[in-house]
């Protein structure tokens, strides 16, 4: 199985790239992307408003399904039980929970 991502080669130029799926580390999970969202920062990046981000994978908001879990991963970041097949929404801004 291969993964795919949208890669921006320069502002407003995109291509679909394939990559080998990573080996899942003991504390990690591997997700299948089910649905994505385009947010305001993605639009600024795509237009070239953030020159330091003008060549790379784009997008950071998604709903996914757990397809593989590391040996030591049993919960999500909030401590709730997690298993293969669960749908998740990754949090791209993690706080200290205080
Ligand atoms: Zn966003």
């Amino acid at each position: 199985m291969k993964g795919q991502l949208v890669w921006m080669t320069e502002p407003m130029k995109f291509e679909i790239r394939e990559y080998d799926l990573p080996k899942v580390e003991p504390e990690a999970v591997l997700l299948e992307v089910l649905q994505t969202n385009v947010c305001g920062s993605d639009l600024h990046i795509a237009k070239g408003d953030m020159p330091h981000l003008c060549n790379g994978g784009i997008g950071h908001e998604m709903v996914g399904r757990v397809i593989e879990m590391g040996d030591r991963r049993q919960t999500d970041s909030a401590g709730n039980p997690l298993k293969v097949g669960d749908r998740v929404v990754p949090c791209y801004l993690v706080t200290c929970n205080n």
Side-chain angles (χ1 to χ4, degrees), residues 10-69:
E10 61 184 270
M12 302 309 290
K13 301 266 188 199
F14 307 97
E15 60 188 36
I16 305 292
R17 291 189 176 181
E18 286 196 343
Y19 60 93
D20 293 327
L21 296 181
K23 179 181 183 315
V24 179
E25 296 182 7
E27 297 284 339
V29 295
L30 183 62
L31 304 178
E32 171 189 16
V33 176
L34 301 175
Q35 186 166 353
T36 62
N37 182 48
V38 176
C39 89
S41 60
D42 294 322
L43 296 176
H44 286 290
I45 292 168
K47 291 187 330 186
D49 294 343
M50 299 178 188
H52 62 291
L53 298 174
C54 65
N55 187 330
I58 192 165
H60 57 276
E61 297 179 2
M62 55 85 86
V63 174
R65 182 186 338 266
V66 177
I67 60 172
E68 190 174 341
M69 297 176 61

Side-chain angles (χ1 to χ4, degrees), residues 79-95:
N80 299 309
L82 188 66
K83 63 183 182 315
V84 171
D86 285 350
R87 284 187 297 171
V88 296
V89 177
C91 179
Y92 54 88
L93 294 174
V94 178
T95 67

